[in-house]
Amino acid sequence: MDDEKSNINYDEIIQQAAEKVFVSMEPRVSERQLQQLHDAYDFAREAHKVQVRKTGEPYIIHPISVALICAEELKLDTNSVTAAFLHDVVEDTPYTVKDITQRFGEDVSFLVNVVTKKKKEAYKTSKQVDNYKQLLESIQYDVRALMVKLADRLHNMRTLASMKPDKQMKIAGETDYFYAPLANRLGLFSIKTELENLSFKYRCCLEYADIIDMLERDQRNNQARLNTLTTSIEQVLLAQGIRVTAKAYWRAPYSIWRRMKEQQRDFWHLDNRYYIRITFTDCDDKTLNEKNVCLKIYSILTDIYKEKPGTFLNLIDQAKENSYKSINVMLLSEGGMWEDVQISS
């Protein structure tokens, strides 16, 4: 194993990873801003040059990965991606916030300072709680620091396998308790879902593995039937002048596990193991707003498929806390199955 690691060209891996960040940012930043990103990468690489991760990789791979999440997945601005490159410099190297300010300005140093755990002899409550408080108090000034921290936590969770089991449990527990709900409240649903599932994977590894296995079997058993149904829905709506994409999505393992607990049912007797999302892209009737297009789709489908009484849910006027908006309803498909249908733009 050590011989294999010694043969890895980390310089090439690091340069390629950094280049992905620059390529992602280049179309939406100025030449000066792109140079700032290069400078931040060079500064971070020099600062972390003697550090390695638990995996044995050079530490700089982590800041680059966080910067890539900020650039590609969160679409953050130049200063946020700069802060992502630098987010561990003050905490883990001799450099200070003042050094960051002098080189990259007060905005970048503010973001780095928020995500830097403070070294204190005595905490007001505890190190963990004080850290949460520091993050949440930054919202009144700027939400970007929280986004950088979520990107940091997401990469740590994606690479958690390298940690000892006790550290895995601690970090996974923090993620489920604080970071996943935070992502949800910020409307970052895909990140919230990934954090929940990675946390579940390490906190309840046997249950996670069982649900993964059952989801794969369920998908094999139902995919062909659902493909036929979604194709039919697309054709019916197209004939009415509404262009949509209809697709079946299986719920994530954590969501399945939570529903099993709530409904007191096993996997195979669980309602809503998957759902059909109907996303409209265009409608011939330009007088209709998004809500009314969704209602028109609902009206057309309920003329064809029987609606389960009491299942209509208007999440457009009463959106979820993560701002997701849709019309939800259960419809009886031709195969005699109640299908969970979500209609949105």
Side-chain angles (χ1 to χ4, degrees):
M1 183 64 71
D2 291 338
D3 289 340
E4 290 178 11
K5 287 183 178 180
S6 64
N7 292 328
I8 297 175
N9 187 344
Y10 280 120
D11 286 340
E12 183 177 344
I13 292 171
I14 291 168
Q15 194 58 47
Q16 288 176 351
E19 196 61 35
K20 288 181 181 179
V21 180
F22 305 140
V23 169
S24 178
M25 294 295 290
E26 189 172 12
R28 53 193 176 93
V29 300
S30 67
E31 191 172 321
R32 181 188 63 79
Q33 290 171 323
L34 190 61
Q35 184 58 51
Q36 175 180 307
L37 294 171
H38 280 274
D39 291 344
Y41 160 65
D42 291 338
F43 187 87
R45 186 165 186 182
E46 174 64 22
H48 293 297
K49 64 181 180 181
V50 299
Q51 297 174 321
V52 295
R53 302 198 80 202
K54 297 291 185 182
T55 58
E57 299 173 331
Y59 193 85
I60 187 61
I61 289 176
H62 169 64
I64 294 172
S65 300
V66 174
L68 187 60
I69 292 170
C70 288
E72 278 194 345
E73 299 180 46
L74 296 178
K75 306 295 184 186
L76 295 183
D77 67 327
T78 303
N79 282 354
S80 300
V81 179
T82 300
F85 275 126
L86 304 170
H87 76 276
D88 277 336
V89 165
V90 174
E91 188 173 326
D92 296 338
T93 80
Y95 290 101
T96 66
V97 172
K98 185 177 180 181
D99 294 326
I100 302 295
T101 304
Q102 289 175 344
R103 184 148 183 175
F104 298 99
E106 291 187 358
D107 188 50
V108 172
S109 68
F110 164 77
L111 297 174
V112 172
N113 191 43
V114 170
V115 299
T116 299
K117 294 177 182 176
K118 300 300 181 287
K119 297 174 183 176
K120 301 179 182 178
E121 291 185 4
Y123 294 91
K124 290 182 179 179
T125 306
S126 69
K127 182 177 181 179
Q128 186 182 62
V129 172
D130 284 9
N131 185 43
Y132 292 162
K133 187 171 182 287
Q134 176 179 300
L135 286 170
L136 294 175
E137 285 178 346
S138 73
I139 293 178
Q140 62 183 309
Y141 305 107
D142 199 325
V143 75
R144 292 174 301 160
L146 289 180
M147 307 282 267
V148 173
K149 186 60 182 178
L150 283 171
D152 176 34
R153 177 53 56 127
L154 181 57
H155 184 251
N156 283 333
M157 289 301 296
R158 287 174 175 174
T159 56
L160 196 58
S162 63
M163 304 294 287
K164 294 180 179 178
D166 60 325
K167 291 288 288 184
Q168 290 177 348
M169 289 294 289
K170 177 181 179 295
I171 294 170
E174 289 177 357
T175 299
D176 186 57
Y177 174 77
F178 182 78
Y179 291 101
L182 178 61
N184 189 51
R185 293 305 296 267
L186 292 175
L188 304 173
F189 185 73
S190 62
I191 289 179
K192 169 252 186 187
T193 301
E194 185 174 355
L195 288 175
E196 283 181 340
N197 282 288
L198 287 169
S199 173
F200 179 49
K201 177 180 178 180
Y202 289 100
R203 290 186 299 107
C204 308
C205 57
L206 296 179
E207 291 92 335
Y208 177 86
D210 286 343
I211 291 175
I212 286 289
D213 179 64
M214 290 184 286
L215 280 169
E216 291 174 351
R217 287 157 53 195
D218 197 33
Q219 191 165 356
R220 287 195 300 269
N221 293 338
N222 289 284
Q223 192 67 67
R225 176 182 63 81
L226 291 171
N227 287 344
T228 300
L229 175 60
T230 53
T231 299
S232 176
I233 288 173
E234 290 177 348
Q235 293 172 346
V236 165
L237 293 173
L238 182 61
Q240 298 290 330
I242 307 175
R243 279 156 288 283
V244 306
T245 299
K247 186 176 179 180
Y249 294 89
W250 265 257
R251 298 190 186 278
Y254 180 75
S255 176
I256 292 286
W257 177 80
R258 190 177 64 238
R259 289 165 185 268
M260 289 168 61
K261 298 295 182 183
E262 290 171 353
Q263 297 180 24
Q264 293 294 299
R265 298 182 181 183
D266 65 22
F267 179 90
W268 300 108
H269 293 90
L270 189 68
D271 294 333
N272 316 123
R273 297 192 301 270
Y274 56 84
Y275 58 92
I276 296 171
R277 178 171 292 163
I278 300 173
T279 309
F280 77 83
T281 54
D282 190 33
C283 178
D284 290 348
D285 188 348
K286 303 302 181 184
T287 66
L288 298 177
N289 60 27
E290 290 186 344
K291 174 184 174 181
N292 287 330
V293 175
C294 289
L295 290 171
K296 184 174 181 179
I297 292 171
Y298 161 78
S299 178
I300 292 169
L301 293 180
T302 51
D303 285 341
I304 301 171
Y305 305 105
K306 182 179 179 180
E307 175 183 354
K308 188 174 185 178
T311 62
F312 176 85
L313 187 59
N314 179 357
L315 291 177
I316 295 178
D317 294 331
Q318 298 176 333
K320 292 183 177 181
E321 61 181 10
N322 63 6
S323 301
Y324 177 72
K325 297 182 178 183
S326 68
I327 296 292
N328 291 11
V329 66
M330 298 286 289
L331 300 178
L332 187 65
S333 66
E334 294 170 351
M337 304 280 288
W338 288 111
E339 310 292 1
D340 183 3
V341 176
Q342 301 179 3
I343 307 166
S344 64
S345 66

